[in-house]
Amino acid sequence: DGIDEVLTSRILNATTCLLLVCPDHSTAWADRRRSLLNNAVTMEESALRKELAFCNLLFTQHSKAPSAWSHRKWLGKHLLNVFTQSILHIDDTADTDSNATHKLHQWTTIEIEMCSNIAEKYPKNYHAWTHRRWVCQSLQTLFLESTTIPSSDCSESIIDNLLQMRTMVFELFENELATIRQWRMTHVTDHSAVHYLGQIVQMLLQLGMHPASRGMVRKRIQCETTTTTTTTTTTTMENETRIPTTMPWSRCSLRVPSLPPLHRSRARSPCRACIRSR
């Protein structure tokens, strides 16, 4: 075991130096993945996050290396496997991680922010938008897979994890839809963002039409309806308070056309009908 750890450390150090110079070296990436798989210690969650940090460093200078993006996707698949084993495990004797949903949300937020920062610095980055779409598709798949598990075979803690995960995924898609709409207004020439927006709308419609999302959609519609009603009521009250009630000729003064400054004082005088009403 000691020899494997030393060899793994040497391979990682050597490939790190090589990939910083040549980020699209597929053989170096393959050796790096092979060394990680051969050692169980390096496949832990903390080690995988360190590998993601190395990819972040690499993307600061080489954001369009296909092999580097493929390696990051490989790391994401292993992290998703760790999270799904904690969230979707139906064996009551297994240890379930109560923070698995929070870790999943944290990983998703980090990936989306990383792709957004790269797309901001390097416009029309196809690899960044593709990776971002893959993250959302993975969450959609996780959502749909969770609906196939019968609730009778799950404990209460697992059911709570499933409900938290579904709510988190649904809210994340809504936030992505609002974010990309705002992004499109400031990046009108980024066709990759427009294509990504279409994919998000399609995935959100599929989730919204699923029977497991009916409660979430109904709750969201009720919240939006309540907010709209409150806003309309507030606006109406503000408009009513702005109407003057002390001057009986206020309606007539609104109809007076704009005249030169010398004749405005004469034009503002009340008409005969208003004088009679007083």
Side-chain angles (χ1 to χ4, degrees), residues 13 16 50 94 149 162 189 219:
N13 293 334
T16 298
K50 290 181 180 179
I149 301 177
L162 292 177
T189 60
K219 183 178 180 181

Side-chain angles (χ1 to χ4, degrees), residues 23 46 71 80 83 91 100-101 143 149 183 193-194 204 211 240 262 269:
S46 59
H71 183 74
L80 282 174
F83 299 146
D91 189 4
T101 304
F143 183 98
I149 301 177
W183 176 282
V194 177
L204 184 58
E240 290 178 356
L262 296 177
S269 59

Side-chain angles (χ1 to χ4, degrees), residues 223-238:
C223 293
E224 292 181 355
T225 304
T226 304
T227 304
T228 305
T229 305
T230 305
T231 305
T232 305
T233 305
T234 305
T235 306
T236 304
M237 293 178 61
E238 291 179 354

Side-chain angles (χ1 to χ4, degrees), residues 114-276:
M114 183 269 303
C115 294
S116 180
N117 293 332
I118 291 178
E120 183 72 34
K121 295 179 181 179
Y122 309 98
K124 301 178 183 179
N125 194 318
Y126 171 80
H127 303 285
W129 289 107
T130 302
H131 183 79
R132 189 170 182 170
R133 183 182 61 183
W134 171 80
V135 172
C136 295
Q137 287 179 345
S138 300
L139 293 179
Q140 181 192 21
T141 303
L142 184 62
F143 183 98
L144 297 178
E145 287 181 354
S146 66
T147 59
T148 60
I149 301 177
S151 58
S152 58
D153 298 338
C154 302
S155 61
E156 295 182 359
S157 60
I158 296 177
I159 293 176
D160 293 339
N161 288 338
L162 292 177
L163 293 178
Q164 292 178 3
M165 184 270 298
R166 294 171 188 171
T167 305
M168 184 271 295
V169 171
F170 198 82
E171 292 178 353
L172 185 137
F173 272 92
E174 289 184 335
N175 294 334
E176 276 292 278
L177 183 62
T179 302
I180 300 303
R181 282 179 175 176
Q182 186 66 27
W183 176 282
R184 187 186 58 178
M185 300 299 293
T186 56
H187 303 76
V188 294
T189 60
D190 197 339
H191 53 80
S192 298
V194 177
H195 178 70
Y196 175 77
L197 177 61
Q199 297 292 327
I200 289 296
V201 171
Q202 183 179 1
M203 287 186 283
L204 184 58
L205 287 175
Q206 292 177 357
L207 292 179
M209 295 176 63
H210 197 276
S213 304
R214 291 178 181 176
M216 302 178 190
V217 175
R218 189 181 300 110
K219 183 178 180 181
R220 185 69 60 189
I221 293 175
Q222 291 177 356
C223 293
E224 292 181 355
T225 304
T226 304
T227 304
T228 305
T229 305
T230 305
T231 305
T232 305
T233 305
T234 305
T235 306
T236 304
M237 293 178 61
E238 291 179 354
N239 294 334
E240 290 178 356
T241 55
R242 293 175 182 175
I243 298 176
T245 57
T246 57
M247 295 185 298
W249 60 83
S250 59
R251 292 177 293 177
C252 297
S253 62
L254 295 176
R255 300 176 184 177
V256 175
S258 59
L259 297 176
L262 296 177
H263 301 281
R264 282 182 181 175
S265 59
R266 183 180 301 175
R268 291 180 181 177
S269 59
C271 63
R272 296 180 179 179
C274 292
I275 294 176
R276 293 175 182 176

Side-chain angles (χ1 to χ4, degrees), residues 36-130:
L36 291 173
L37 288 173
N38 290 336
N39 194 350
V41 178
T42 56
M43 289 304 295
E44 295 179 354
E45 182 181 349
S46 59
L48 294 176
R49 292 186 181 275
K50 290 181 180 179
E51 193 70 9
L52 290 176
F54 169 70
C55 291
N56 293 337
L57 175 63
L58 191 67
F59 287 150
T60 57
Q61 299 296 328
H62 310 280
S63 64
K64 295 185 179 181
S67 299
W69 284 105
S70 178
H71 183 74
R72 191 179 186 91
K73 183 177 179 180
W74 179 82
L75 294 172
K77 288 181 179 180
H78 283 276
L79 283 174
L80 282 174
N81 189 24
V82 174
F83 299 146
T84 52
Q85 286 181 356
S86 301
I87 296 176
L88 301 179
H89 208 293
I90 61 176
D91 189 4
D92 295 338
T93 59
D95 295 333
T96 57
D97 189 0
S98 58
N99 296 326
T101 304
H102 175 70
K103 293 180 179 179
L104 177 62
H105 181 269
Q106 184 181 10
W107 170 79
T108 306
T109 304
I110 291 174
E111 294 297 307
I112 290 177
E113 289 181 354
M114 183 269 303
C115 294
S116 180
N117 293 332
I118 291 178
E120 183 72 34
K121 295 179 181 179
Y122 309 98
K124 301 178 183 179
N125 194 318
Y126 171 80
H127 303 285
W129 289 107
T130 302

